[in-house]
Amino acid sequence: TCHAAIVSRELGVPCIVGTKDATEKLKTGVRYTIDCSKGSTGLVYDGDSNIERTSVDIDSVPKTETEIKLILGDPSIALSLSGLPVAGVGLVRQEFVVANHIGIHPNAVLDPEKVSPEARIIINEKSKNDESPKAFFIRRLSEGIGSIAAAFYPRPVIVRLGDFKSNEYRRLVGGEQFEPEEENPMIGLRGASRYLSPEFRGAFELECEALAHVRNKMGLTNVQLMVPFCRTAEGGKKVIKILKEHGLEKGKDGLKIWVMCELPSNVFAIDEFAEVFDGFSIGSNDLTQLVLGVDRDSGILAKLFDEDNTAVKAAISHAIKGAHRNGKEIGFCGQAPRWVVLSFRVSFIDSILPRAFLHTSFVL
Protein backbone atom coordinates (compact mmCIF):
# COMPACT_ATOMS: atom_id res chain seq x y z
CA THR A 1 0.00 0.00 0.00
CA CYS A 2 2.96 2.38 0.32
CA HIS A 3 3.94 4.37 -2.75
CA ALA A 4 7.16 2.43 -3.28
CA ALA A 5 5.04 -0.69 -3.76
CA ILE A 6 2.48 1.12 -5.93
CA VAL A 7 5.16 2.50 -8.28
CA SER A 8 6.81 -0.93 -8.51
CA ARG A 9 3.52 -2.60 -9.44
CA GLU A 10 2.94 0.03 -12.09
CA LEU A 11 6.37 -0.73 -13.57
CA GLY A 12 5.90 -4.50 -13.28
CA VAL A 13 8.85 -4.81 -10.89
CA PRO A 14 8.56 -7.20 -7.91
CA CYS A 15 8.81 -5.25 -4.68
CA ILE A 16 8.73 -6.16 -1.00
CA VAL A 17 8.57 -3.33 1.51
CA GLY A 18 8.96 -3.27 5.29
CA THR A 19 11.67 -5.94 5.22
CA LYS A 20 13.54 -4.64 8.30
CA ASP A 21 16.99 -6.31 8.00
CA ALA A 22 16.82 -7.57 4.39
CA THR A 23 19.51 -5.13 3.21
CA GLU A 24 21.87 -6.65 5.77
CA LYS A 25 21.07 -10.31 5.06
CA LEU A 26 20.87 -10.15 1.25
CA LYS A 27 24.25 -9.82 -0.47
CA THR A 28 25.08 -7.90 -3.62
CA GLY A 29 25.91 -10.18 -6.55
CA VAL A 30 23.96 -13.15 -5.18
CA ARG A 31 20.85 -14.22 -7.11
CA TYR A 32 17.52 -14.39 -5.29
CA THR A 33 13.93 -15.03 -6.32
CA ILE A 34 11.30 -12.61 -5.05
CA ASP A 35 7.75 -13.95 -4.90
CA CYS A 36 5.03 -11.30 -4.64
CA SER A 37 2.17 -13.57 -5.71
CA LYS A 38 1.00 -14.60 -2.24
CA GLY A 39 -0.97 -11.50 -1.33
CA SER A 40 0.30 -9.12 1.34
CA THR A 41 3.33 -11.21 2.33
CA GLY A 42 6.38 -11.28 0.06
CA LEU A 43 8.78 -14.23 0.02
CA VAL A 44 12.49 -14.31 -0.84
CA TYR A 45 14.24 -17.53 -1.95
CA ASP A 46 17.90 -18.29 -2.52
CA GLY A 47 18.90 -18.73 -6.16
CA ASP A 48 16.72 -18.98 -9.24
CA SER A 49 13.32 -20.65 -8.96
CA ASN A 50 11.43 -22.31 -11.77
CA ILE A 51 8.48 -20.21 -12.85
CA GLU A 52 5.44 -21.91 -14.31
CA ARG A 53 3.63 -19.90 -16.98
CA THR A 54 -0.04 -20.46 -17.79
CA SER A 55 -1.67 -19.13 -20.96
CA VAL A 56 -5.34 -18.14 -20.98
CA ASP A 57 -7.50 -17.64 -24.07
CA ILE A 58 -9.03 -14.16 -23.76
CA ASP A 59 -12.28 -15.46 -25.27
CA SER A 60 -12.63 -17.84 -22.32
CA VAL A 61 -12.61 -15.06 -19.75
CA PRO A 62 -16.09 -14.89 -18.20
CA LYS A 63 -18.08 -11.67 -18.29
CA THR A 64 -18.75 -10.27 -14.85
CA GLU A 65 -21.72 -8.31 -13.53
CA THR A 66 -19.30 -6.05 -11.68
CA GLU A 67 -17.34 -4.09 -14.27
CA ILE A 68 -13.57 -4.41 -14.18
CA LYS A 69 -11.41 -1.50 -15.23
CA LEU A 70 -7.65 -1.12 -15.29
CA ILE A 71 -5.25 1.10 -13.44
CA LEU A 72 -2.67 2.82 -15.66
CA GLY A 73 0.01 5.47 -15.36
CA ASP A 74 2.24 4.63 -18.31
CA PRO A 75 0.90 5.78 -21.69
CA SER A 76 3.44 3.64 -23.55
CA ILE A 77 1.69 0.39 -22.58
CA ALA A 78 -1.90 1.58 -23.07
CA LEU A 79 -2.29 0.32 -26.64
CA SER A 80 -0.97 -3.15 -25.81
CA LEU A 81 -3.45 -3.47 -22.93
CA SER A 82 -6.46 -2.07 -24.76
CA GLY A 83 -7.23 -5.52 -26.22
CA LEU A 84 -8.17 -6.87 -22.81
CA PRO A 85 -11.94 -7.28 -22.40
CA VAL A 86 -12.19 -4.66 -19.66
CA ALA A 87 -14.76 -1.90 -19.26
CA GLY A 88 -12.15 0.82 -19.59
CA VAL A 89 -9.59 2.48 -17.34
CA GLY A 90 -10.86 3.25 -13.86
CA LEU A 91 -7.80 5.11 -12.66
CA VAL A 92 -5.16 6.97 -14.63
CA ARG A 93 -2.56 8.17 -12.16
CA GLN A 94 -1.97 11.57 -13.69
CA GLU A 95 0.94 12.30 -11.36
CA PHE A 96 2.79 9.29 -12.77
CA VAL A 97 2.45 10.74 -16.26
CA VAL A 98 3.88 14.02 -14.95
CA ALA A 99 6.76 12.26 -13.21
CA ASN A 100 7.69 9.90 -16.06
CA HIS A 101 6.91 11.96 -19.16
CA ILE A 102 7.61 15.49 -17.95
CA GLY A 103 9.77 15.25 -14.85
CA ILE A 104 9.51 18.95 -14.03
CA HIS A 105 7.60 20.56 -11.17
CA PRO A 106 4.61 22.48 -12.61
CA ASN A 107 5.50 25.65 -10.69
CA ALA A 108 9.00 25.47 -12.17
CA VAL A 109 7.65 25.77 -15.72
CA LEU A 110 5.49 28.69 -14.64
CA ASP A 111 8.33 30.52 -12.89
CA PRO A 112 11.66 29.06 -14.07
CA GLU A 113 13.59 32.06 -12.76
CA LYS A 114 13.03 30.84 -9.20
CA VAL A 115 14.77 27.49 -9.66
CA SER A 116 18.46 26.70 -9.43
CA PRO A 117 20.74 27.22 -12.46
CA GLU A 118 21.11 23.45 -12.77
CA ALA A 119 17.36 22.93 -12.83
CA ARG A 120 16.93 25.76 -15.33
CA ILE A 121 19.33 24.06 -17.73
CA ILE A 122 17.23 20.86 -17.58
CA ILE A 123 14.00 22.79 -18.09
CA ASN A 124 15.38 24.70 -21.06
CA GLU A 125 16.72 21.51 -22.65
CA LYS A 126 13.44 19.64 -22.27
CA SER A 127 11.34 22.51 -23.61
CA LYS A 128 13.66 23.71 -26.38
CA ASN A 129 11.28 22.59 -29.14
CA ASP A 130 8.25 24.24 -27.53
CA GLU A 131 7.12 27.82 -27.34
CA SER A 132 7.77 27.89 -23.60
CA PRO A 133 8.30 25.55 -20.62
CA LYS A 134 4.58 25.96 -19.88
CA ALA A 135 3.67 24.89 -23.43
CA PHE A 136 6.00 21.88 -23.06
CA PHE A 137 4.25 20.79 -19.86
CA ILE A 138 0.77 21.07 -21.33
CA ARG A 139 1.76 19.28 -24.53
CA ARG A 140 3.44 16.36 -22.80
CA LEU A 141 0.63 15.89 -20.28
CA SER A 142 -2.08 16.06 -22.93
CA GLU A 143 -0.15 13.62 -25.14
CA GLY A 144 0.24 11.18 -22.26
CA ILE A 145 -3.41 11.28 -21.19
CA GLY A 146 -4.54 11.37 -24.82
CA SER A 147 -2.56 8.21 -25.65
CA ILE A 148 -4.36 6.27 -22.93
CA ALA A 149 -7.78 7.70 -23.82
CA ALA A 150 -7.32 7.00 -27.53
CA ALA A 151 -6.21 3.42 -26.90
CA PHE A 152 -9.40 2.59 -24.98
CA TYR A 153 -11.84 4.84 -26.87
CA PRO A 154 -14.85 4.85 -26.57
CA ARG A 155 -14.59 3.05 -23.24
CA PRO A 156 -14.41 5.45 -20.29
CA VAL A 157 -11.02 6.53 -19.00
CA ILE A 158 -11.19 8.10 -15.55
CA VAL A 159 -8.25 10.43 -14.95
CA ARG A 160 -7.52 11.16 -11.32
CA LEU A 161 -6.26 14.70 -10.91
CA GLY A 162 -2.71 14.97 -9.56
CA ASP A 163 -2.28 13.31 -6.17
CA PHE A 164 1.41 13.48 -5.39
CA LYS A 165 2.27 14.52 -1.87
CA SER A 166 4.63 17.42 -1.19
CA ASN A 167 7.60 15.10 -0.59
CA GLU A 168 6.98 13.46 -3.98
CA TYR A 169 6.59 16.77 -5.80
CA ARG A 170 9.90 17.88 -4.27
CA ARG A 171 11.68 15.15 -6.24
CA LEU A 172 10.66 16.68 -9.58
CA VAL A 173 13.08 19.09 -11.24
CA GLY A 174 12.76 22.44 -9.48
CA GLY A 175 10.49 20.99 -6.79
CA GLU A 176 12.67 21.91 -3.83
CA GLN A 177 12.12 25.61 -4.50
CA PHE A 178 8.35 25.35 -4.17
CA GLU A 179 7.39 22.52 -1.82
CA PRO A 180 6.98 22.77 1.96
CA GLU A 181 8.69 20.21 4.18
CA GLU A 182 5.74 18.61 5.95
CA GLU A 183 5.94 16.33 8.96
CA ASN A 184 3.35 13.97 7.47
CA PRO A 185 2.68 14.62 3.77
CA MET A 186 0.12 11.79 3.68
CA ILE A 187 -2.35 14.06 5.49
CA GLY A 188 -0.85 17.34 4.34
CA LEU A 189 -1.21 19.57 1.30
CA ARG A 190 -2.61 17.17 -1.26
CA GLY A 191 -5.63 16.66 -3.47
CA ALA A 192 -8.38 19.29 -3.53
CA SER A 193 -6.76 21.38 -0.79
CA ARG A 194 -3.66 21.69 -2.92
CA TYR A 195 -5.57 22.78 -6.03
CA LEU A 196 -7.27 25.53 -4.03
CA SER A 197 -4.14 26.84 -2.31
CA PRO A 198 -2.77 30.15 -3.70
CA GLU A 199 0.72 28.63 -4.01
CA PHE A 200 -0.39 25.82 -6.31
CA ARG A 201 -3.52 27.12 -8.02
CA GLY A 202 -1.44 27.88 -11.14
CA ALA A 203 -0.06 24.33 -11.19
CA PHE A 204 -3.59 22.92 -11.09
CA GLU A 205 -4.64 25.20 -13.94
CA LEU A 206 -1.88 23.63 -16.06
CA GLU A 207 -3.52 20.24 -15.50
CA CYS A 208 -6.88 21.73 -16.43
CA GLU A 209 -5.54 23.16 -19.70
CA ALA A 210 -4.02 19.82 -20.67
CA LEU A 211 -7.18 17.87 -19.86
CA ALA A 212 -9.38 20.39 -21.68
CA HIS A 213 -7.13 19.98 -24.73
CA VAL A 214 -7.61 16.19 -24.61
CA ARG A 215 -11.39 16.41 -24.41
CA ASN A 216 -12.13 19.53 -26.46
CA LYS A 217 -9.37 19.56 -29.09
CA MET A 218 -8.44 15.90 -29.45
CA GLY A 219 -12.12 14.94 -29.18
CA LEU A 220 -11.47 12.24 -26.60
CA THR A 221 -14.67 12.76 -24.65
CA ASN A 222 -14.34 9.36 -23.01
CA VAL A 223 -12.04 11.07 -20.51
CA GLN A 224 -13.72 11.54 -17.12
CA LEU A 225 -12.20 13.17 -14.05
CA MET A 226 -11.69 12.12 -10.45
CA VAL A 227 -10.93 14.47 -7.55
CA PRO A 228 -8.69 12.87 -4.89
CA PHE A 229 -8.42 13.62 -1.18
CA CYS A 230 -11.39 15.98 -1.10
CA ARG A 231 -11.89 16.82 2.56
CA THR A 232 -15.21 18.69 2.27
CA ALA A 233 -18.10 18.89 -0.17
CA GLU A 234 -17.60 22.66 -0.28
CA GLY A 235 -14.01 22.11 -1.39
CA GLY A 236 -15.32 19.84 -4.13
CA LYS A 237 -17.63 22.59 -5.39
CA LYS A 238 -14.71 25.00 -5.61
CA VAL A 239 -12.61 22.52 -7.60
CA ILE A 240 -15.49 21.89 -10.01
CA LYS A 241 -15.83 25.66 -10.47
CA ILE A 242 -12.16 25.95 -11.47
CA LEU A 243 -12.53 23.02 -13.88
CA LYS A 244 -15.53 24.75 -15.51
CA GLU A 245 -13.56 27.98 -15.88
CA HIS A 246 -11.01 26.02 -17.93
CA GLY A 247 -13.43 24.31 -20.30
CA LEU A 248 -14.19 21.23 -18.21
CA GLU A 249 -17.83 21.71 -17.34
CA LYS A 250 -19.52 18.92 -15.43
CA GLY A 251 -22.23 17.34 -17.61
CA LYS A 252 -21.13 19.02 -20.86
CA ASP A 253 -20.38 16.51 -23.63
CA GLY A 254 -20.91 13.75 -21.09
CA LEU A 255 -18.18 14.86 -18.67
CA LYS A 256 -18.52 13.07 -15.34
CA ILE A 257 -16.59 14.21 -12.30
CA TRP A 258 -16.02 11.61 -9.62
CA VAL A 259 -14.52 11.84 -6.15
CA MET A 260 -12.29 9.43 -4.30
CA CYS A 261 -14.06 8.14 -1.20
CA GLU A 262 -10.96 7.75 0.93
CA LEU A 263 -11.49 9.98 3.95
CA PRO A 264 -13.79 9.40 6.93
CA SER A 265 -15.42 12.73 5.99
CA ASN A 266 -16.30 11.31 2.56
CA VAL A 267 -17.94 8.32 4.22
CA PHE A 268 -19.91 10.03 6.96
CA ALA A 269 -20.95 13.05 4.86
CA ILE A 270 -21.58 10.98 1.74
CA ASP A 271 -25.01 12.56 1.20
CA GLU A 272 -23.36 15.98 0.90
CA PHE A 273 -20.71 14.71 -1.51
CA ALA A 274 -23.40 12.97 -3.57
CA GLU A 275 -24.95 16.38 -4.28
CA VAL A 276 -21.64 17.58 -5.77
CA PHE A 277 -20.15 14.61 -7.65
CA ASP A 278 -21.36 12.08 -10.23
CA GLY A 279 -19.98 9.06 -8.43
CA PHE A 280 -17.48 7.63 -5.98
CA SER A 281 -14.44 5.37 -5.97
CA ILE A 282 -13.46 3.89 -2.63
CA GLY A 283 -9.74 4.41 -2.02
CA SER A 284 -9.14 1.58 0.39
CA ASN A 285 -5.50 2.41 1.14
CA ASP A 286 -6.07 5.93 2.42
CA LEU A 287 -9.39 5.03 4.01
CA THR A 288 -7.76 2.20 5.96
CA GLN A 289 -4.87 4.33 7.17
CA LEU A 290 -7.19 7.13 8.31
CA VAL A 291 -9.76 4.90 9.98
CA LEU A 292 -7.05 2.98 11.85
CA GLY A 293 -4.64 5.91 12.29
CA VAL A 294 -1.87 3.89 10.61
CA ASP A 295 0.63 5.63 8.32
CA ARG A 296 0.66 3.34 5.31
CA ASP A 297 4.27 4.33 4.58
CA SER A 298 5.41 3.12 8.00
CA GLY A 299 7.15 -0.24 7.98
CA ILE A 300 6.90 -0.33 11.77
CA LEU A 301 3.10 -0.29 11.64
CA ALA A 302 2.68 -2.47 8.55
CA LYS A 303 1.15 -5.36 10.50
CA LEU A 304 -1.64 -3.11 11.75
CA PHE A 305 -2.69 -2.05 8.24
CA ASP A 306 -5.69 -4.31 7.67
CA GLU A 307 -8.46 -3.65 5.14
CA ASP A 308 -10.45 -6.48 6.76
CA ASN A 309 -10.53 -4.70 10.11
CA THR A 310 -14.07 -4.38 11.50
CA ALA A 311 -13.94 -0.57 11.55
CA VAL A 312 -12.70 -0.38 7.96
CA LYS A 313 -15.41 -2.80 6.82
CA ALA A 314 -18.02 -0.66 8.54
CA ALA A 315 -16.75 2.47 6.78
CA ILE A 316 -16.75 0.77 3.36
CA SER A 317 -20.25 -0.62 3.97
CA HIS A 318 -21.53 2.82 4.98
CA ALA A 319 -20.04 4.39 1.84
CA ILE A 320 -21.56 1.82 -0.53
CA LYS A 321 -24.99 2.02 1.07
CA GLY A 322 -24.84 5.83 1.01
CA ALA A 323 -23.95 5.92 -2.67
CA HIS A 324 -26.79 3.55 -3.53
CA ARG A 325 -29.20 5.60 -1.43
CA ASN A 326 -28.31 8.64 -3.52
CA GLY A 327 -28.47 6.80 -6.83
CA LYS A 328 -24.74 7.20 -7.46
CA GLU A 329 -22.29 4.72 -8.92
CA ILE A 330 -19.55 3.58 -6.58
CA GLY A 331 -16.46 1.58 -7.43
CA PHE A 332 -13.58 0.11 -5.52
CA CYS A 333 -10.10 1.46 -6.18
CA GLY A 334 -7.75 -1.27 -5.08
CA GLN A 335 -7.49 -5.02 -4.84
CA ALA A 336 -11.09 -5.26 -3.59
CA PRO A 337 -11.58 -7.81 -0.82
CA ARG A 338 -13.94 -10.52 -2.04
CA TRP A 339 -16.43 -9.69 0.68
CA VAL A 340 -16.96 -6.23 -0.83
CA VAL A 341 -18.04 -7.63 -4.18
CA LEU A 342 -20.07 -10.50 -2.79
CA SER A 343 -21.82 -8.47 -0.09
CA PHE A 344 -22.66 -5.31 -2.02
CA ARG A 345 -23.66 -4.18 -5.50
CA VAL A 346 -20.41 -2.44 -6.35
CA SER A 347 -20.66 -0.81 -9.78
CA PHE A 348 -17.10 -1.58 -10.74
CA ILE A 349 -13.63 -2.44 -9.54
CA ASP A 350 -11.71 0.40 -11.08
CA SER A 351 -8.14 -0.16 -10.07
CA ILE A 352 -7.10 -3.58 -11.24
CA LEU A 353 -3.55 -4.01 -12.44
CA PRO A 354 -3.37 -5.65 -15.87
CA ARG A 355 -1.87 -8.86 -14.55
CA ALA A 356 -4.60 -9.13 -11.87
CA PHE A 357 -7.42 -8.83 -14.38
CA LEU A 358 -7.67 -12.52 -15.29
CA HIS A 359 -7.63 -13.73 -11.70
CA THR A 360 -10.28 -11.21 -10.67
CA SER A 361 -12.52 -12.13 -13.61
CA PHE A 362 -12.53 -15.81 -12.73
CA VAL A 363 -13.01 -15.14 -8.98
CA LEU A 364 -16.03 -12.93 -9.65
Side-chain angles (χ1 to χ4, degrees), residues 163-233:
D163 193 32
F164 265 161
K165 273 60 75 179
S166 57
N167 60 323
E168 295 165 324
Y169 271 114
R170 282 178 67 85
R171 300 188 190 117
L172 298 176
V173 173
E176 291 183 0
Q177 278 68 40
F178 299 101
E179 293 296 332
E181 293 195 51
E182 299 181 287
E183 289 292 333
N184 191 342
M186 274 288 185
I187 55 173
L189 191 62
R190 60 179 289 203
S193 300
R194 183 180 183 93
Y195 313 149
L196 299 174
S197 68
E199 297 85 358
F200 299 103
R201 167 77 180 257
F204 178 55
E205 289 176 344
L206 283 180
E207 294 184 32
C208 295
E209 288 188 52
L211 290 165
H213 183 83
V214 173
R215 279 186 56 90
N216 304 333
K217 297 292 179 62
M218 294 182 178
L220 296 168
T221 53
N222 58 326
V223 167
Q224 301 174 11
L225 305 180
M226 178 112 68
V227 179
F229 223 77
C230 187
R231 292 175 165 99
T232 66

Side-chain angles (χ1 to χ4, degrees), residues 53-62 84-85 355 357-359 361-362:
R53 295 182 180 273
T54 303
S55 297
V56 176
D57 184 352
I58 288 294
D59 293 333
S60 70
V61 178
L84 291 174
R355 68 175 181 274
F357 160 69
L358 291 174
H359 172 74
S361 297
F362 281 104

Side-chain angles (χ1 to χ4, degrees), residues 75-91:
S76 67
I77 63 173
L79 193 60
S80 64
L81 296 175
S82 63
L84 291 174
V86 293
V89 180
L91 179 65

